[in-house]
C-alpha cells in the first residue's frame, strides 16, 4: 500500500466503495447547507429584527461567524475522511459537531437574553 502522504482524495490507496464516497459527499453538502442556513438566518435577523439595532447586529454577527466556521471546515473534513477511506484507516474525529452545538447554544442563549431584555 502507498504511504499516506502519497494518497489524494481521488487517487492512491484502495478505491473505497462508492456508497461511502457518496455518503462522505452528502455529509460535506449537509455542512454547507447548514452554513447557508445560518448565513440566511443572520441576514434575516439583521434585516427584520427591529430594535435595538445593536442587539440584532450581535445576533446576526454570531450567525454569520458560525456559518463561516462551518463553511471553512467542511472541505478539509471531507478531504480527511476521503483520504482515510482510501488508506484503509479509521475515520478521523471531527470537533465540528461540538463547535456547531456550542455555537447554536450560544445563539439560542443570546436570543433568549435579548428577548428577555426587550
Amino acid at each position: 500500500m502507498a504511504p499516506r502522504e502519497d494518497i489524494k482524495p481521488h487517487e492512491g490507496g484502495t478505491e473505497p466503495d462508492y456508497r461511502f464516497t457518496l455518503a462522505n459527499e452528502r455529509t460535506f453538502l449537509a455542512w454547507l447547507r447548514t452554513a447557508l442556513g445560518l448565513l440566511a438566518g443572520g441576514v434575516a435577523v439583521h434585516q427584520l429584527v427591529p430594535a435595538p439595532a445593536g442587539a440584532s447586529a450581535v445576533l446576526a454577527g454570531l450567525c454569520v461567524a458560525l456559518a463561516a466556521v462551518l463553511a471553512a471546515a467542511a472541505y478539509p473534513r471531507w478531504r480527511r475522511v476521503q483520504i482515510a477511506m482510501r488508506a484503509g484507516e479509521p475515520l478521523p474525529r471531527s470537533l465540528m459537531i461540538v463547535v456547531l452545538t456550542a455555537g447554536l447554544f450560544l445563539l439560542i442563549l443570546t436570543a433568549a437574553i435579548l428577548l428577555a431584555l426587550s
Side-chain angles (χ1 to χ4, degrees):
M1 186 182 288
R4 183 165 164 81
E5 299 82 40
D6 295 338
I7 298 175
K8 307 285 186 258
H10 298 292
E11 60 187 42
T14 305
E15 184 71 27
D17 185 324
Y18 70 90
R19 293 172 292 182
F20 300 125
T21 298
L22 293 173
N24 189 29
E25 186 176 312
R26 283 190 304 271
T27 303
F28 166 72
L29 294 172
W31 284 111
L32 291 182
R33 279 191 307 271
T34 303
L36 283 171
L38 283 164
L39 180 61
V43 170
V45 164
H46 186 65
Q47 293 297 316
L48 301 175
V49 174
S56 68
V58 167
L59 202 54
L62 288 173
C63 286
V64 171
L66 187 55
V69 168
L70 288 176
Y75 177 76
R77 183 190 185 282
W78 171 85
R79 187 175 181 4
R80 283 191 317 273
V81 168
Q82 196 66 26
I83 290 172
M85 287 191 303
R86 283 189 163 275
E89 296 176 350
L91 297 181
R93 296 182 189 261
S94 174
L95 291 177
M96 288 313 299
I97 303 287
V98 175
V99 170
L100 180 59
T101 303
L104 286 175
F105 180 74
L106 180 63
L107 280 169
I108 292 166
L109 188 63
T110 303
I113 291 170
L114 293 174
L115 191 60
L117 294 177
S118 65

